[in-house]
Amino acid sequence: MVVPYKHEPFTDFTVEENRQLMQEALKKVEADLGKEYPLIIGGERITTEEKIVSVNPADRNEVIGYVSKANKELAEKAMKVADETFETYWRKSDPKFRADILFRAAAIVRRRKHEFSAHLVKEGGKPWKEADADTAEAIDFLEYYGRQMLKIKDGAEVNSRPIEYNQFNYIPLGVGLVISPWNFLFAIMAGTTVAAMVTGNTVLLKPASATPVIAYKFMEVLEEAGLPAGVINYIPGPGSEVGDYLVDHPRTRFVSFTGSREVGTRIFERAAVVQEGQKWLKRTIIEMGGKDTIVVDNESDLELAAQSIVQSAFGFSGQKCSACSRAVIHEDVYDQVKDRVVELTNELSAGDPKDNSHFMGPVIDQGAYDKIMNYIEIGKQEGELLAGGTGDDSTGWFVNPTVFGDVDPDARLMQEEIFGPVVGLTKAKDFDHAIEIANNTEYGLTGAVITNNRTHLEQARRDFHVGNLYFNRGCTAAIVGYQPFGGFNMSGTDSKAGGPDYLIQHMQGKTTSEML
């Protein structure tokens, strides 16, 4: 019997034993740096001359690994393997067998939890707490989706008449292209991959070019857990070559993507084109980010409000699609909240996350650093710089937590996704005005409301249009199975990862009716 699902507990690093275990894991990972990693197609390790060089964003001279780079020819080879594996074997495999692979993989990751977290510190630049949460979420996806598959494997109940026997079942789609992001380099990569696999599809996994090594490490876990060759094929490579080729491919049945609005809308558009020889409409499962708002009412715990804004804005250097990048504060309490946000922000520091003495680590690469610093310059024209506004890219890519005040709700700083440690504050005349400003964006991913007014909470429940809405807490840190995650509008296709209907998006319904 499978025990009921509970989310993986987080590690308390104030406990000396846990700190020592993490330090040991970091030493183990550091001894493993600089290795070469091949592609995996049909279980075959393939080495290419061209490499993706994965570096530590906190120390650009430290190479995490050299990863073989796929091209169109190898992408085609992977497609043929995945297509054949699906048709001849995997689509007919026992759902319980597939779920068991997830449960075994979860047990392997759990035993090596600190080792994976240490890798996230190095390859992703994550502080210990953020890395531990990422690893825990990866375990959660494995455990939760395994149980969800066991729930839906026999289909759904439908009615039958005395003259017939009717059944409704879910069947897999085919070959899925999974394009995973660099920010939750373990959790989202693992979750999107196993959701596609456990539902009976075969997978072409193209991890983010900034963080491909952790995806290879996960492939090793799945192989150890009993995953047959050819079911998941590891093909890191450039989106402009490998990504476009496979999105367009007539044998691609669905695309699962997490990343920017720009790339997500492009994939959505390309996948809609019916190619020669294609006999289905491709499905897209897309999550594209947000411009997330915390609303602070005049009847609220102002310390909670300030803490929520700072934690949500600057956790993992604001590199979360759920990060608070806008705070809309009732004018009666604006100055008090603003002053406390600035105080709390000035207590934070950004530095190498290896030693766990900094709240923030680096941003992911030079492109991200340049983009964020450019937005800070824009912010100086659009609002009052209250904290931060500086960065240092001499050894790694560090941007100090930055707060702008009195920003117009229509300013670029308040409308465009920055994906960095920058938050803008603005005033609202009343609660109606605050909700109006909160909805004044093309995104709709997360939001939070801080208030002790029950009427206002119910109004927000009805009118604040986001996929994940939180009351009297920050707007980040959704937990698999507890707060299914995904957004509206330009935040994506409302594919609620870690939710009860997520797996079904990787399947199609089939009705059979037998006359008696």
Side-chain angles (χ1 to χ4, degrees):
M1 189 183 80
V2 178
V3 299
Y5 167 76
K6 287 194 305 185
H7 84 85
E8 181 71 13
F10 303 128
T11 304
D12 182 357
F13 288 116
T14 65
V15 176
E16 178 60 27
E17 181 187 3
N18 292 337
R19 285 202 300 274
Q20 288 181 357
L21 288 169
M22 187 64 176
Q23 292 284 11
E24 290 167 12
L26 280 161
K27 286 176 185 172
K28 181 178 180 181
V29 167
E30 284 170 343
D32 210 29
L33 297 179
K35 290 187 173 179
E36 291 196 8
Y37 297 91
L39 310 175
I40 305 175
I41 299 175
E44 179 189 357
R45 265 59 177 176
I46 299 173
T47 300
T48 62
E49 256 184 59
E50 279 199 75
K51 308 290 185 196
I52 297 168
V53 183
S54 174
V55 301
N56 178 356
D59 178 2
R60 65 173 80 194
N61 293 317
E62 186 173 72
V63 176
I64 306 302
Y66 299 92
V67 180
S68 285
K69 186 187 292 188
N71 54 27
K72 282 183 185 177
E73 290 72 31
L74 288 165
E76 179 62 29
K77 178 184 175 78
M79 170 58 79
K80 285 178 176 170
V81 166
D83 202 8
E84 184 179 354
T85 304
F86 175 77
E87 292 293 347
T88 59
Y89 166 55
W90 194 245
R91 69 182 180 86
K92 297 175 274 192
S93 60
D94 186 344
K96 290 187 285 187
F97 167 67
R98 303 194 301 254
D100 281 345
I101 293 172
L102 268 59
F103 298 145
R104 287 195 294 271
I108 293 166
V109 175
R110 193 177 285 113
R111 286 195 296 271
R112 296 166 53 193
K113 191 174 187 180
H114 296 311
E115 178 191 335
F116 280 101
S117 295
H119 191 89
L120 302 183
V121 171
K122 286 292 183 177
E123 191 172 27
K126 292 205 162 192
W128 289 17
K129 179 181 175 184
E130 298 279 350
D132 180 72
D134 196 325
T135 303
E137 188 174 21
I139 294 169
D140 286 346
F141 278 129
L142 292 163
E143 296 281 9
Y144 182 77
Y145 289 152
R147 286 164 177 78
Q148 287 301 116
M149 191 63 231
L150 296 179
K151 276 186 181 179
I152 65 175
K153 67 181 177 62
D154 296 321
E157 186 177 342
V158 292
N159 291 328
S160 293
R161 297 174 295 180
I163 60 168
E164 67 194 6
Y165 174 46
N166 300 322
Q167 287 180 290
F168 179 78
N169 293 99
Y170 296 107
I171 64 171
L173 292 171
V175 180
L177 171 62
V178 173
I179 303 173
S180 61
W182 52 261
N183 63 336
F184 285 85
L185 54 160
F186 192 13
I188 293 179
M189 177 274 300
T192 51
T193 300
V194 302
M197 176 272 277
V198 79
T199 44
N201 305 289
T202 52
V203 179
L204 304 172
L205 171 57
K206 196 189 94 61
S209 292
T211 56
V213 176
I214 187 66
Y216 185 90
K217 303 278 186 185
F218 185 57
M219 288 293 295
E220 292 181 323
V221 168
L222 292 172
E223 289 174 331
E224 184 182 340
L227 181 73
V231 175
I232 299 174
N233 302 277
Y234 170 76
I235 49 164
S240 58
E241 184 176 2
V242 173
D244 284 354
Y245 180 75
L246 291 173
V247 168
D248 296 344
H249 201 290
R251 295 301 297 172
T252 297
R253 184 62 182 83
F254 66 96
V255 182
S256 176
F257 168 80
T258 306
S260 70
R261 176 192 184 282
E262 179 188 9
V263 177
T265 53
R266 189 167 175 271
I267 287 172
F268 191 69
E269 183 178 7
R270 291 182 82 109
V273 178
V274 177
Q275 304 290 340
E276 186 178 348
Q278 182 178 321
K279 60 182 182 181
W280 45 60
L281 299 177
K282 289 173 187 165
R283 191 171 296 182
T284 54
I285 304 161
I286 292 177
E287 198 270 285
M288 298 190 296
K291 191 67 183 171
D292 309 300
T293 306
I294 293 181
V295 169
V296 182
D297 199 9
N298 60 344
E299 301 175 60
S300 65
D301 180 336
L302 301 187
E303 179 64 19
L304 171 65
Q307 293 278 358
S308 298
I309 291 166
V310 171
Q311 295 288 325
S312 298
F314 303 132
F316 189 42
S317 304
Q319 297 175 118
K320 301 178 183 180
C321 48
S322 59
C324 172
S325 57
R326 314 189 307 166
V328 180
I329 306 165
H330 194 293
E331 61 185 11
D332 293 353
V333 296
Y334 177 84
D335 287 335
Q336 291 165 268
V337 174
K338 176 192 74 171
D339 291 346
R340 185 61 180 142
V341 164
V342 171
E343 282 179 11
L344 291 168
T345 301
N346 286 332
E347 293 171 6
L348 306 179
S349 64
D352 192 331
K354 176 185 169 182
D355 62 8
N356 204 35
S357 62
H358 303 284
F359 178 77
M360 282 171 37
V363 298
I364 193 63
D365 58 21
Q366 190 69 50
Y369 177 88
D370 292 343
K371 177 185 174 185
I372 295 161
M373 295 307 296
N374 182 55
Y375 270 109
I376 287 172
E377 291 306 308
I378 292 168
K380 290 174 183 177
Q381 308 303 314
E382 294 183 334
E384 180 188 0
L385 179 62
L386 301 173
T390 56
D392 180 2
D393 64 347
S394 56
T395 56
W397 297 286
F398 297 97
V399 179
N400 289 312
T402 300
V403 182
F404 287 99
D406 294 310
V407 187
D408 188 286
D410 292 321
R412 288 183 64 188
L413 201 73
M414 302 292 272
Q415 292 294 324
E416 299 174 12
E417 188 177 37
I418 300 169
F419 224 69
V422 180
V423 64
L425 314 181
T426 194
K427 293 176 188 170
K429 295 177 293 186
D430 53 31
F431 194 74
D432 288 347
H433 186 216
I435 295 298
E436 181 186 325
I437 295 171
N439 285 330
N440 175 26
T441 167
E442 63 182 13
Y443 296 99
L445 187 54
T446 76
V449 175
I450 314 294
T451 184
N452 295 323
N453 184 316
R454 172 53 58 181
T455 302
H456 286 170
L457 287 179
E458 294 309 313
Q459 180 183 346
R461 196 189 301 275
R462 182 184 66 242
D463 295 337
F464 195 161
H465 194 58
V466 290
N468 286 67
L469 180 60
Y470 304 104
F471 294 154
N472 290 313
R473 54 158 281 187
C475 62
T476 63
I479 293 176
V480 172
Y482 293 70
Q483 294 112 11
F485 186 83
F488 306 149
N489 300 343
M490 282 299 166
S491 288
T493 55
D494 186 39
S495 52
K496 285 288 191 288
D501 64 351
Y502 188 70
L503 291 189
I504 294 170
Q505 296 181 75
H506 304 75
M507 309 184 82
Q508 53 195 345
K510 182 175 183 178
T511 300
T512 58
S513 183
E514 179 182 358
M515 297 303 292
L516 301 176

